[in-house]
């Protein structure tokens, strides 16, 4: 029997367009003789719209933006396809950022008991908050740049105190980030106190929690991790943003960020990165996939920057490119993620929920 797949994409997020491009590519990669594909489109306003069952790969993004017109915010009936009468076998959430990559949608799917691709509630939530993530990394003994963090009210109560503390504990330049976002939104680099204060004000527009990190001068190297209990790592890739840092425009607009796969690295450095990527995967209790992002300095110091629990997933994104180069083509990667999702769900069904 064909598996019924729900493709969940779009979303109220800076990465809405990227998500649409990913969904289009995924429909092109899926084997329609094995799957029935049900599109679930979340509009930029947050309405959930059921699309008609796809008979084959979508022709273009516009086709994926047509729902049945009955969508409402968080309308979970989108997971119960009207024309099949049966629940979905698995959902592929192709969403990034808050409300998609942060555990909320994953929690909804848990409650509905529908298998889904990728990370669960805990890993997604922990991976979305850069402070929590870094605290866990340090428990795992991973090397990372020093940082300071605070919430809005703490900042407002003692701005000079925080500026002093940053100056005392970190070296310039620093990177200021909203704790919970992605796509480099709200992130700025500050070279002195004045710039720092402005950068904090900017970051506070996006979150009540802000992290200030010491800047690292190094190459940006990434590794893809795939699996559940025994995750595997891909070859490494390098990103080379052409102007300044890897900000929102460099990621999605300029197109002049070079992606180098495989990255040129000593075998020994690669092993350290692969080892650390798996440790990051485990400490966050990840499942399915994660992309671990590192800095490698000129002195060969390896520092973890972050993990992405739902990394960019178009065929031209780092995660699929790194697997491609490791011998796993895009359609096979998707197959693999679906089986990992089903495996994890099966395992969960076998757990007892009470004594007896
Ligand atoms: N501590 C740092 N030192 C140097 N560059 C940094 C630092 N933190 C972030 N950057 C730059 O900013 C980019 C975005 O930061 P990142 O923490 O990865 O946020 P996001 O979750 O939005 O991707 C990085 O890819 C890197 O280019
Ligand atoms: Mg990043």
């Amino acid at each position: 029997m064909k598996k019924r797949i729900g493709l969940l994409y779009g979303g109220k997020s800076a990465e809405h367009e990227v998500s649409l491009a990913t969904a289009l590519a995924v429909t092109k990669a899926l084997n329609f003789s094995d799957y029935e594909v049900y599109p679930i489109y979340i509009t930029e306003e947050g309405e959930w719209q059921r699309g008609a069952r796809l008979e084959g790969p979508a022709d273009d993004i516009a086709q994926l933006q047509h729902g049945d017109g009955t969508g409402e915010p968080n309308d979970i009936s989108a997971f119960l396809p009207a024309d099949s009468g049966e629940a979905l076998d698995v959902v592929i959430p192709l969403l990034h950022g808050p409300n998609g990559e942060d555990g909320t949608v994953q929690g909804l799917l848990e409650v509905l008991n529908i298998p889904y691709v990728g990370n669960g509630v805990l890993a997604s939530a922990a991976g979305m908050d850069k402070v929590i993530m870094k605290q866990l990394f340090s428990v795992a003994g991973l090397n990372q740049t020093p940082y300071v963090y605070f919430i809005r009210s703490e900042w407002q109560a003692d701005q000079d105190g925080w500026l002093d503390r940053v100056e005392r504990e970190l070296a310039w330049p620093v990177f200021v980030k909203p704790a919970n976002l992605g796509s480099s939104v709200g992130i700025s680099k500050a070279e002195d106190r004045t710039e720092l204060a402005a950068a904090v004000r900017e970051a506070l527009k996006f979150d009540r929690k802000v992290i200030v990190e010491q800047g690292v001068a190094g190459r940006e190297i990434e590794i893809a991790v795939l699996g559940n209990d025994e995750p595997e790592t891909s070859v490494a890739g390098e990103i080379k943003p052409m102007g300044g840092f890897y900000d929102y425009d460099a990621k999605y607009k300029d197109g002049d960020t070079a992606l180098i796969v495989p990255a040129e690295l000593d075998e020994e450095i690669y092993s350290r990165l692969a080892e650390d990527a798996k440790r990051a995967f485990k400490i966050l209790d990840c499942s399915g996939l994660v992309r671990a992002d590192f800095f490698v300095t000129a002195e060969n110091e390896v520092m973890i920057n972050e993990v992405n629990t739902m990394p960019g997933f178009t065929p031209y994104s780092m995660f699929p490119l790194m697997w491609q180069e490791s011998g796993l083509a895009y359609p096979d990667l998707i197959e693999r993620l679906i089986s990992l999702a089903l495996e994890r769900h099966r395992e969960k069904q076998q757990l007892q929920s009470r004594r007896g």
Side-chain angles (χ1 to χ4, degrees):
M1 220 180 61
K2 288 190 186 182
K3 285 203 174 66
R4 289 176 299 270
I5 293 197
L7 267 194
L8 183 61
Y9 56 88
K12 246 172 119 169
S13 127
E15 283 139 310
H16 186 93
E17 302 294 323
V18 182
S19 172
L20 279 164
T22 306
L24 180 63
V26 169
T27 72
K28 291 193 197 296
L30 283 172
N31 184 348
F32 278 75
S33 52
D34 295 336
Y35 301 113
E36 287 180 1
V37 181
Y38 296 88
I40 305 162
Y41 172 51
I42 306 179
T43 67
E44 279 174 287
E45 288 72 45
E47 285 177 4
W48 293 48
Q49 304 208 333
R50 254 172 303 172
R53 174 153 80 99
L54 289 176
E55 301 301 333
D59 299 322
D60 52 32
I61 282 173
Q63 193 189 343
L64 293 171
Q65 288 178 289
H66 290 298
D68 61 3
T70 62
E72 284 175 36
N74 307 325
D75 179 6
I76 58 164
S77 71
F79 291 118
L80 312 165
D83 50 347
S84 103
E86 285 174 89
L88 297 167
D89 291 306
V90 61
V91 167
I92 311 185
L94 299 171
L95 304 167
H96 307 282
N99 302 315
E101 191 178 347
D102 62 355
T104 49
V105 161
Q106 288 74 15
L108 177 60
L109 290 162
E110 288 289 342
V111 170
L112 295 171
N113 199 26
I114 300 175
Y116 56 93
V117 163
N119 286 286
V121 175
L122 177 71
S124 303
M128 179 75 356
D129 185 309
K130 293 188 194 300
V131 173
I132 300 289
M133 175 168 67
K134 281 175 186 289
Q135 289 171 332
L136 288 171
F137 287 165
S138 103
V139 169
L142 293 164
N143 188 36
Q144 54 190 342
T145 194
Y147 62 92
V148 164
Y149 74 95
F150 43 78
I151 55 173
R152 181 183 288 110
S153 54
E154 292 170 332
W155 165 256
Q156 283 165 350
D158 186 17
Q159 296 194 17
D160 282 330
W162 286 108
L163 293 171
D164 289 345
R165 177 152 172 214
V166 168
E167 229 167 5
R168 201 168 53 236
E169 292 182 21
L170 311 179
W172 304 105
V174 296
F175 281 76
V176 184
K177 315 175 181 181
N180 289 276
L181 224 63
S183 303
S184 305
V185 175
I187 298 187
S188 25
K189 186 176 174 177
E191 307 273 0
D192 56 36
R193 267 177 96 100
T194 315
E195 286 184 14
L196 173 57
V200 170
R201 278 193 294 277
E202 176 66 14
L204 282 172
K205 288 184 195 162
F206 298 97
D207 199 353
R208 61 184 266 286
K209 198 198 280 184
V210 168
I211 179 165
V212 182
E213 296 174 15
Q214 182 165 309
V216 181
R219 297 163 69 191
E220 292 194 57
I221 308 284
E222 310 189 335
I223 286 206
V225 188
L226 185 65
N228 285 336
D229 290 358
E230 300 291 337
E232 294 168 56
T233 44
S234 69
V235 302
E238 176 165 12
I239 51 170
K240 279 199 175 158
M242 292 309 163
F245 69 93
Y246 199 31
D247 61 8
Y248 185 84
D249 286 355
K251 280 178 185 169
Y252 302 115
K253 294 192 183 150
D254 305 351
D256 64 356
T257 295
L259 305 185
I260 302 156
V261 186
E264 219 175 281
L265 286 174
D266 287 349
E267 191 58 42
E268 191 265 331
I269 305 284
Y270 171 77
S271 314
R272 262 154 64 191
L273 290 165
E275 187 51 43
D276 283 3
K278 283 189 202 169
R279 260 206 270 172
F281 184 99
K282 293 212 162 168
I283 193 78
L284 288 168
D285 200 12
C286 291
S287 43
L289 76 170
V290 105
R291 197 191 72 222
D293 299 353
F294 297 88
F295 298 111
V296 178
T297 70
E299 296 77 38
N300 283 339
E301 185 176 354
V302 167
M303 293 175 141
I304 193 157
N305 174 33
E306 63 164 347
V307 294
N308 287 277
T309 55
M310 184 52 213
F313 202 79
T314 74
Y316 314 102
S317 308
M318 261 306 202
F319 188 92
L321 286 176
M322 289 189 286
W323 280 114
Q324 172 82 43
E325 187 64 30
S326 309
L328 192 62
Y330 193 60
D332 301 325
L333 175 60
I334 295 167
E335 287 279 332
R336 186 73 203 290
L337 285 166
I338 293 171
S339 7
L340 287 167
L342 294 173
E343 173 192 297
R344 191 190 47 166
H345 185 259
R346 250 192 325 270
E347 204 182 325
K348 218 164 181 178
Q349 300 312 296
Q350 287 161 1
L351 294 175
Q352 277 183 218
S353 56
R354 37 186 193 152
R355 297 202 308 165

